[in-house]
Every structure is written in C-alpha cells, then in structure tokens.
Amino acid sequence: MKKIKSLVESHKTICIVGVLLVLLGGFVFGIGGVSGKETRAESKESEPPIITLYEEKLTVGVNADISLQTDVIKSIECDDTIRDVDVQCESDSFHLKKGEGKTKNGVPDFTLSFAKEGEYTVSIVVESSEKVTKTVAFHVNDNLISYVKGIKNLTVDLNAEKVDYLKDISYDKNFVKEVKVDSSKVDLKKEGTYTVVYTIIPVSDTEKSVQKEVDVVVKKADAKQDSSDAKDKNKDTENKESDSKTAKSNTEDKKSSTDKKSDTSVKNTSSSESSNSKKENQSNTSNTVNTNNTNQKPAENTNTSSVNTNNSSNHVHQWVKYTDTINHPEVSHVEYIEHSEVSHIEYIDHPEVSHIEYIEHPAETHEEYRVWSECFICHADITDFEWDHLEEHALKEGIAGGYADRVEYYTVVDKPAWTEEKKVIDKAAWTEEKKVVDKAAWTEEKKVVDKAAWTETVVTYKCSCGAQK
C-alpha cells in the first residue's frame, strides 16, 4: 500500500513538472516564432555594389594628378564585403598610382594621370559577391583652366555674412601659381543671379592668365532645412515614449504568458502570427497626427495599424503619409573645343636693291714721231721741197744754203679720259610670302546638358514612434 501511494505521489510530481514545461515551451515558442518571423522579415538578399560618381565626364590637364577619392568616385556602397576595386584604361598614356592612405567611403587611395591630350574612357570595377563596372569619360587637354578643380556655379543664402568663394577650389601648383576671385558684383542682401570672375594665374611668365565666369544665385534659405532641428527633437521625444511603451508591454506579455496554459499559449501565438501577416493589408480609420515639419502633409485615410490580438497594450503603428518634393538641378558639364588659328598668305613683291659706282678711266694715248727737214737759213720746215726752197734762197739772196733732217716725237690721244657710271645690284628683285593671322587660336567653352532639371516626388509613411516605411 505504501509503495502504491509513493508511486502515485511520484506520478503527480511528474505531471506538475510536465505542465510547467509545456507552459514554458509555449511561451518560448511564441517569442521564438515572432522573433524568427521578424528576423526573416528583416533579412534580405545582398544587393550589388552601388558606385556613385562626382561627374560622368571630367576635364583635366595633361599630367595632372587626379584623386579617385576626391575627384572621381564619391562613394562605393555594398551590403557584402568589397573584395577588390580596380581602375582600368586601355591607353599607354594612362597611369595609375596606389597611395598609402585609408579607404574613404569605400573608395581606395588611387591617383590617376594622363600623359597626352585626348579623350579617354576609364572603367571602375568593383567586385564583391557580384562584379559591377562603371565608366568615366575624361577630356584631357593642356589648357590652363584644366589644372583647376572646383570652379562651378554656386547658390548662397540671402543676407549671408561672409561667403568663401575659394573654399572648394584646388589646383595643380606645377602649372597654376594662384587663383583669384572677383565677387564685387554680388549683392548678398538682394535675391538674384550674379557673375563671379575667377582669374587663373600661370606659373610660367610666358603664358597668359585665364578668366572663368560662373553664376552665383542669392536666395532665401530652404524652409525645410530651417525646420529640420525641430523635427529631430520631436523624433527623439517620440522614440523615448515608444521605448517606454514597448518595455511596459513586454513586462505585461511575460506575466500573461506565464499564467496561461500551454494550449492557450499556442493558440495566442498562432493568432499573433495571423495578425502580423495581415499587418500590411488592413486599412483602419484615419488618425490625426501632428508634426512640426511644414513641408510634409498627412495622408487621407491611408494609415495602417498593426494590432497584436494577444495583448491590447502593445503599440499600434499609426502610419502618416508624408510627401516631399525634391527639385533636382540640371546636370551638365563643360566641354572645351580647340579651334586652330585662321590665317592666309599675302605675296609682297620687293624691287631689286642696287647702287651706282663711278669709275674714273684715264686717257688712252700712244707716242708717234716724224722726220722733217729744217732750212739752215730760215729754219723753216722744207720737208718734201728742200731743193726748191734752197734754190729760192740762192736766187733771191745769192746764198747757197742747206738743210738738216730733224726727228720730232709727239703724243697722240686715242681716247680722252672719262668717268664710267656702273650699276651694282646688291639684292635681286624677289617675292615675299607673308602669313597674316586673321584670328588667333582659341578654346571654346561649350556647356553640354547631360540631364535637364527635374522634380522628384518622394512618399514615405512614418509613425510617431519613429518607425517609417
């Protein structure tokens, strides 16, 4: 009899322990089921890497250093581990140097450069669980402005005390000595569009300075930005209230689950899962929620409530529709078109260059002589009639005279002295080909609109607890 009583008591103890284990198992199953479901809901497949560029086409100078982090890629976002980032270009003029700096926003410390002018396409290859490739176009030239980065149109707040127009300007000091800015035409107290002139001074004294004009828009600050601080404060307060309600709800759930039987726990768990599965499909009556953000509008009758049928004290999401309008400016870039000089050839006829030389020529002469007969009495020249002459003297004077042969020398002038005028040609007549430059070579800046300005409407649903979808 004692053995039978002892056996009954032991079975009674085992039954009590079994009931407690069933209750505890149901509670754990309920929590685990909800937790597992939430985990499955939160888990999602890894997406491919997202490469965000500063610009899809860049204009740079020859041999200028281009930082992959600050000039080319803004960020690389990836849910999975990034295994490798590679930069590729099929050109011998392309050079890639890997630095020792840290990775910034998923972008490694790489430096690019191009040794020659031209158009290049560079591929950015990011490899994780998937491989993604994005291309960037480079226009490389030797213009002075190509070695300056950050010159662009600006928007500043009305009544701003001070604006640093050189804040984001950087340049290659191997080619550019200094960048100056003239903002004298900007009136910060009046809304409008003004012109600011940047002057780029070269390092070389043989080059000329280059000027670049940009537009500066002065306007009132965005009201959405002014109310962002107040919105953040309200959100912090709502999050604290939500945390307090959630902690209280969890305490009550634990107490309720312990007091109920295992079959009731299982039933409640199934009811909770059924309620959660209908969370996105139920349409409840619209509830009015106040917000400090003036740019957001509540939706009409679109709020969805998530109700836990197991415990009425759980927080019920009151979804409020917010519509934001984002005005995107146009996306554009500047292309530089090199124009060669315009010229023509002129032909100039030059006459010969000469002078006159004077040459003095002496007289041309020769010596001649003659033989003649001289009378002894009268000394006359009796050549060729000597005896007749002597006979005449004898008859008249009674004197028998005589004669003698004489030889006389004299100069005969063949050509008198004269002065010759001689023309000497220093340079013969010739035709000169002269190049006349009608218009010097110049660089044209052409604005290319890649994407026109557009307006984006973003719709989000938010609860006062801080949750959103």
Side-chain angles (χ1 to χ4, degrees):
M1 193 67 180
K2 290 182 179 180
K3 289 183 180 180
I4 295 173
K5 187 176 182 180
S6 176
L7 184 61
V8 171
E9 291 293 333
S10 63
H11 279 290
K12 184 177 179 181
T13 302
I14 292 173
C15 290
I16 294 172
V17 173
V19 171
L20 292 176
L21 289 175
V22 169
L23 291 174
L24 182 61
F27 177 73
V28 172
F29 175 77
I31 296 176
V34 175
S35 177
K37 186 174 182 181
E38 291 178 352
T39 303
R40 288 192 299 272
E42 292 176 356
S43 64
K44 54 184 178 180
E45 296 181 359
S46 60
E47 297 181 355
I50 300 175
I51 306 173
T52 304
L53 304 176
Y54 288 101
E55 294 183 25
E56 294 185 354
K57 185 169 184 179
L58 298 173
T59 299
V60 298
V62 176
N63 292 322
D65 290 336
I66 309 158
S67 172
L68 192 68
Q69 293 179 338
T70 60
D71 300 326
V72 183
I73 305 178
K74 185 180 294 184
S75 65
I76 300 176
E77 301 177 39
C78 183
D79 296 336
D80 202 353
T81 302
I82 298 176
R83 300 173 185 171
D84 185 38
V85 177
D86 192 17
V87 182
Q88 303 172 355
C89 180
E90 297 180 357
S91 174
D92 295 336
S93 301
F94 172 75
H95 299 286
L96 178 65
K97 182 173 65 176
K98 297 184 179 180
E100 298 179 355
K102 295 182 178 179
T103 299
K104 180 181 178 182
N105 296 329
V107 184
D109 181 22
F110 289 173
T111 301
L112 294 66
S113 64
F114 300 90
K116 295 181 181 179
E117 293 182 298
E119 303 291 334
Y120 299 88
T121 299
V122 174
S123 299
I124 312 296
V125 182
V126 179
E127 184 178 357
S128 60
S129 56
E130 297 185 37
K131 183 181 290 187
V132 175
T133 301
K134 199 154 192 177
T135 59
V136 186
F138 286 87
H139 172 69
V140 182
N141 59 36
D142 203 18
N143 294 331
L144 190 62
I145 197 171
S146 302
Y147 299 100
V148 182
K149 303 171 186 175
I151 296 180
K152 58 185 178 181
N153 296 333
L154 301 173
T155 300
V156 298
D157 294 338
L158 183 66
N159 297 321
E161 295 183 0
K162 187 177 180 182
V163 179
D164 186 2
Y165 295 98
L166 296 173
K167 179 181 178 182
D168 298 324
I169 304 299
S170 61
Y171 52 86
D172 193 330
K173 295 183 180 180
N174 294 322
F175 302 93
V176 179
K177 181 179 180 180
E178 185 182 4
V179 176
K180 296 182 178 180
V181 60
D182 179 11
S183 58
S184 58
K185 296 181 180 180
V186 180
D187 186 358
L188 296 175
K189 297 183 179 180
K190 183 178 180 181
E191 288 187 301
T193 302
Y194 304 91
T195 300
V196 169
V197 180
Y198 290 91
T199 301
I200 305 166
I201 302 174
V203 172
S204 175
D205 296 333
T206 59
E207 293 187 61
K208 294 182 179 179
S209 298
V210 177
Q211 288 188 336
K212 170 71 174 179
E213 294 184 354
V214 299
D215 292 334
V216 175
V217 179
V218 179
K219 66 177 184 178
K220 291 182 179 179
D222 192 358
K224 182 177 179 180
Q225 182 178 358
D226 294 339
S227 62
S228 61
D229 294 339
K231 179 181 176 181
D232 292 339
K233 291 181 180 179
N234 292 335
K235 187 173 181 180
D236 291 340
T237 303
E238 292 169 356
N239 288 338
K240 290 180 180 179
E241 293 177 355
S242 175
D243 294 341
S244 177
K245 291 179 180 180
T246 302
K248 182 178 179 181
S249 175
N250 291 338
T251 303
E252 293 176 354
D253 286 343
K254 290 180 180 180
K255 182 177 180 181
S256 175
S257 298
T258 304
D259 295 338
K260 293 181 179 180
K261 295 181 180 180
S262 61
D263 56 344
T264 305
S265 299
V266 174
K267 183 177 181 181
N268 286 341
T269 302
S270 301
S271 176
S272 176
E273 290 179 353
S274 175
S275 176
N276 288 334
S277 66
K278 297 177 182 179
K279 181 177 180 179
E280 299 298 331
N281 297 326
Q282 292 179 346
S283 177
N284 297 330
T285 305
S286 175
N287 296 317
T288 302
V289 179
N290 294 327
T291 177
N292 291 329
N293 194 333
T294 58
N295 289 335
Q296 297 175 336
K297 299 184 294 183
E300 297 180 0
N301 298 329
T302 58
N303 298 331
T304 304
S305 299
S306 176
V307 181
N308 189 334
T309 58
N310 185 38
N311 196 326
S312 61
S313 64
N314 284 348
H315 172 69
V316 178
H317 287 306
Q318 301 294 333
W319 298 114
V320 180
K321 180 180 178 181
Y322 293 87
T323 302
D324 289 332
T325 300
I326 304 175
N327 295 319
H328 295 275
E330 70 175 11
V331 179
S332 64
H333 69 276
V334 176
E335 290 186 354
Y336 298 91
I337 304 174
E338 303 292 337
H339 295 275
S340 57
E341 69 177 13
V342 180
S343 63
H344 68 278
I345 301 296
E346 290 185 355
Y347 297 92
I348 304 172
D349 294 325
H350 294 275
E352 69 177 11
V353 180
S354 63
H355 68 278
I356 301 296
E357 289 185 355
Y358 297 92
I359 303 172
E360 300 294 336
H361 293 277
E364 296 179 3
T365 63
H366 69 276
E367 294 290 330
E368 291 186 358
Y369 70 93
R370 74 184 182 91
V371 179
W372 60 285
S373 300
E374 180 184 5
C375 177
F376 287 155
I377 298 174
C378 64
H379 302 290
D381 183 0
I382 58 173
T383 306
D384 295 334
F385 54 93
E386 292 90 347
W387 296 111
D388 293 338
H389 183 77
L390 291 176
E391 185 179 358
E392 186 179 351
H393 273 296
L395 292 175
K396 288 181 178 182
E397 299 172 2
I399 303 172
Y403 71 91
D405 290 331
R406 304 293 185 190
V407 178
E408 179 185 0
Y409 292 90
Y410 61 92
T411 301
V412 178
V413 178
D414 302 311
K415 187 175 183 181
W418 58 286
T419 302
E420 177 187 2
E421 291 186 1
K422 184 178 181 181
K423 179 181 179 182
V424 179
I425 299 176
D426 302 306
K427 188 175 183 179
W430 57 289
T431 301
E432 176 188 2
E433 292 187 3
K434 184 179 180 181
K435 178 181 177 182
V436 179
V437 178
D438 303 305
K439 188 174 182 180
W442 82 100
T443 301
E444 176 187 359
E445 293 186 4
K446 183 179 179 182
K447 178 182 178 182
V448 178
V449 178
D450 303 306
K451 187 174 183 181
W454 81 99
T455 301
E456 177 186 5
T457 302
V458 179
V459 178
T460 57
Y461 293 87
K462 299 182 180 180
C463 179
S464 60
C465 68
Q468 68 177 34
K469 64 175 183 177

